[in-house]
Amino acid sequence: MTAAPVTEHAVISRLRGSGVEVDASERRTSEYAYDASNYRVRPLAVVFPRTVDDVVATVRACADTRTPVVSRGGGTSMAGNAVGSGVVVDFSRHMNRILEIDPGAGTVAVEPGVVLATLTREVEAATGQRLTFAPDPSSKNRATVGGAIGNDACGNHSVRYGRTSDHTVEIDVVTADGARLTATATGLRATDPDDRASVLRASELSGELRALAREHLAAFRLELGRIPRQVSGYHLQNLLPEKGFDMARALVGSEGTCALIVGARMRLVPKPASALLVCLGYDTVVDAARDVTTILEFSPAAVEGTDKAIVETMRWRRGPDSVTGLPDGNAWLFVDLDGDTREAVAGQADELLTRLGGNGRLVEGIAVADPEGRANLWRVREDGAGLSSRLATGGESWPGWEDSAVAPENLAAYLAELRTLMGEYDLDGVMYGHFGAGCMHIRITFDLRTERGREVYREFTRDAARLVVRHGGSLSGEHGDGRARSALLPLMYSLEVLEAFAAFRRAWDPEGLLNPGSIVDPAPIDAHLALEGVPDRQWRTSFDLQPVGAAETARESGRDAQPDPWVHAAQGCIGVGRCRADSGGVMCPSFRATRDEKDSTRGRARVLQDMVRGAATVAEGWRSHDAREALDLCLSCKACATDCPAGVDMATYKSEFFDHYYARRLRPRSHYSLGWLPRWLRIAGRIAPLVNAILATPLGGLAARLGGLTPHRALPRFARAGQWRREVDDTARPAWRTGVPSQRPGVLAPAGAHVADAPGGQDVVLFVDTFTRGFRPEVAGAAARVLTGAGDAVECSADVCCGLTWISTGQLRTAKKLLTRAAAALDDGSERPIVVVEPSCAAALRKDLPELVPTEQARRVARRVTSFAAYVASWAGERHMAPPAAPVPGRAVVQTHCHEYSVFGPATQRRALAVAGVAEVSEANGCCGVAGNFGFEVEHYDVSMLVAETSLAPALRAAAPDTAVLTDGFSCAMQVGHVDPDARGLHIAQILDPGPAATGPQPSGTA
């Protein structure tokens, strides 16, 4: 039944009157109009319940006003079952507690918003690594228990552990009329036995459902529960007498259409003592699928697969070192074997490889016992959905037919026919998924922007549904039917079963208010597509946002043009929600601090998507207050450009948006004080002692307030103009006194030798950036000494600016001028590496320079740029450095520098420390919280400290007193000193510094 329309005021006023946290703003509803599917449906409001009473109040308010209700966890649904037109109830924000872990019973009691990875981590810690929670979908670090129950999620280890329904003991729910019930393995009961209304509702509902099962015994037995991953439709086979009227398992996979989950008791499993990954390479995914039945004979815990498109895209986006250790092939299977001892598991792996070699399809297979190596390879599979959305070739792929499943023995035949079908429609697909369970996640190159493309989508999906049914399979294997596949259920089930599905739903929700459109009474699969109806307009940008291969993709697809580059960039977010993870990588520091969807990369992207969709004009779009608010707490850390599987680069989008938003408009004061910092440093450097003396008085606080800066941070001391030159000049002074001749003007050379005589030495340009010149000149001297001590001939460059502060504050006209000047100055016709002391400046020259100045000269310069740590890391095993003057610390805490992490690779600083010989390294994997201007701005100080508490502050508290703290970035060093005044952040150059006596001749000048 379709709910009658209702005014926003009636529902929202009822909710607010009940004391429920509700947000009906346009910005908020934009954030929740999408999940990870192809669909967009703007809700009326979003509710953030804190208690079950809040959920009951919400449901009753919606029932009284006939407003639809949609349950939501992490919002990672690929089928569109987490979006809807009524009230979205987000359980992840507050109702996310683990209530009780009972090792004796082997169960855990949780609220629905608990993230799966958090649950696993806490269970393993509480049980001494003896027990774990088994379901582990690739989205486990942001998907919730409630969502897993709603979809009957499975995960990478489903071959061993099955689906979420296999681990569900009891579910507490709130029905559409506000009753509180508990579904168990034997029926339904009132959650509170003293709640008379709920007792009556449980009795009435149980009677209806028992009668439904009796009426359809044969159909349920013949059509439901036939293969391991038959998730499509309701799981009504669990109502059969032989199943014990298992209402808990019958509710799993109901996609929020029957009741709202408010709690659950889940079953735990023993954690294997030893595990080993066997990685198998094949020519094709079909060959890989043909070997699955052999692999299953070895009782593996997981059999997952992926194809080369994902691997190539990961290497393109994150660097060639992001995927290492793969065997030869074009498609790969990841097989997890486990057992009681390492020796037994290793023997099993050897036997498996022998058997597969005898089958004749295996190209190469390797066993990976190292936990870090296993984790790195699993990451390739786990990031598949996002990585396959924007490919290295420049093409796009979309869900819709991403979750079909067959019996494992039928998988190869199904895939072979599916590939033929895609060819008939001139479509390509990126294939990955749960090969051992017969479930394939295939993202396909649909064109959902044009009517012809949507027609192909409709026709292909219907033909694919017929194909999977012919192979005895299911439309959905774990993602659910949702908006993507519910309309196709008549192709899979008889009319009798479809009518039973409708009756089951009516029994729970007579008015059809809970997640309407899923499973029963669905809309067409092409209704509410997010890419339909976006105006075709030109959004002029300063950044070159043209996607890779755009022209080729347009020609191949037969379309006249790709979307406008700004629109294409904004639409890059496909909703996988990796930015909501609380561990792994750096993204997204603001979300980790606030836990608010608004402050996630995904939330911001969704607001930008609605901006390009809904603005009456381009000019109006660039003035969007919603977008400005969504971007406010973005730290411009750039981590999303690497960590986001889809490659969303929110720092760039923020800079571009701010440039337009503040055009001919007064900016925040910090945009002038910190955004123009290089200009002020030139002035302050000439009178540094006077400036520092003034800043130490109450006038310093006044100056900070006038500049829009927080009074809670001490301002850094300014260096004298030219002090960096004296530091660099001191590099060579002792050697100069011994009479070693200079090689050429402006060049520092290794002591006593020409560069050609030094093993591995080369000519380099040391770029001494604004921050180093203005605040840390001693680091310039240390950097020069390290380079010359390693045999390099070093020319210093300090006459140009990378424009970083103007970029981060969205003042792009000035930034482009500065970068154009920098490119001209640094383009000297050589291929000499340009080694930049400050990582943020290195990142600006490497990434922002060619995007803001899209010339061949800029690209030539950018290719030569490297951070100091990345350059040192490249010496591993190839260079002999001068020994450091001070003992190398035995252990260090690394404050991961966000820009260096994003542009030069996640392990850059760790590798540099390894070259230095630091044996024990712990990483504060997260933004420090200062992030250039952000942490100094008065309105952002509190959040900057919350960000520090997510990683940096705990790492400093846990560090032993003699632990060095590596802070290559000036902002990171400032935050370390602020969080722990006893800790001193060091640049890697300072750790490696051989001291003046170890270096070469006095230069006759510096460039």
Side-chain angles (χ1 to χ4, degrees), residues 696-719:
T697 71
L699 290 176
L702 176 61
R705 287 192 293 275
L706 290 174
L709 311 184
T710 176
H712 301 299
R713 290 189 188 275
L715 295 176
R717 291 182 61 82
F718 291 82

Side-chain angles (χ1 to χ4, degrees), residues 97-359:
R97 295 178 301 161
I98 299 172
L99 302 175
E100 181 186 15
I101 299 172
D102 187 341
T107 60
V108 59
V110 297
E111 291 182 324
V114 175
V115 172
L116 295 173
T118 302
L119 175 59
T120 299
R121 184 171 63 242
E122 294 298 322
V123 165
E124 291 177 358
T127 62
Q129 305 298 311
R130 291 186 299 106
L131 298 176
T132 189
F133 183 67
D136 62 341
S138 296
S139 57
K140 61 181 178 288
N141 60 1
R142 62 268 192 197
T144 65
V145 173
I149 293 172
N151 289 352
D152 202 3
C154 305
N156 297 339
H157 292 80
S158 63
V159 171
R160 168 69 53 77
Y161 298 114
R163 299 163 10 195
T164 298
S165 53
D166 296 309
H167 304 274
T168 303
V169 180
E170 293 183 342
I171 308 174
D172 297 330
V173 300
V174 173
T175 63
D177 55 359
R180 295 179 58 179
L181 307 181
T182 297
T184 73
T186 57
L188 276 173
R189 68 169 189 264
T191 304
D192 178 1
D194 294 328
D195 178 355
R196 185 169 180 79
S198 294
V199 169
L200 291 173
R201 183 73 173 105
S203 174
E204 172 191 74
L205 189 52
S206 295
E208 285 188 62
L209 298 181
R210 288 182 187 276
L212 181 68
R214 286 194 299 270
E215 186 179 349
H216 301 287
L217 290 173
F220 289 0
R221 287 169 176 149
L222 291 173
E223 296 190 44
L224 303 178
R226 295 173 293 104
I227 61 173
R229 288 296 195 94
Q230 187 174 344
V231 166
S232 279
Y234 293 116
H235 304 168
L236 302 189
Q237 73 275 14
N238 292 295
L239 301 180
L240 292 169
E242 60 267 31
K243 299 289 187 179
F245 195 61
D246 192 333
M247 274 307 312
R249 295 188 67 163
L251 270 183
V252 177
S254 57
E255 303 182 25
T257 61
C258 296
L260 280 73
I261 299 166
V262 293
R265 262 74 63 205
M266 309 300 291
R267 187 171 291 110
L268 305 177
V269 300
K271 185 179 180 182
S274 296
L276 179 146
L277 172 67
V278 180
C279 196
L280 308 170
Y282 292 88
D283 280 330
T284 68
V285 291
V286 175
D287 281 350
R290 289 194 174 108
D291 269 356
V292 164
T293 52
T294 300
I295 296 169
L296 291 177
E297 294 176 22
F298 289 77
S299 299
V303 185
E304 298 292 295
T306 190
D307 71 11
K308 67 177 182 179
I310 289 175
V311 172
E312 290 173 349
T313 300
M314 193 166 189
R315 286 172 172 157
W316 166 63
R317 188 169 293 144
R318 299 178 180 174
D321 293 339
S322 61
V323 184
T324 58
L326 277 178
D328 289 340
N330 297 313
W332 294 270
L333 291 180
F334 302 94
V335 181
D336 243 1
L337 300 174
D338 56 27
D340 294 331
T341 67
R342 293 182 181 179
E343 293 75 18
V345 177
Q348 192 181 21
D350 290 341
E351 185 182 349
L352 173 62
L353 290 172
T354 300
R355 283 281 305 279
L356 294 177
N359 286 354

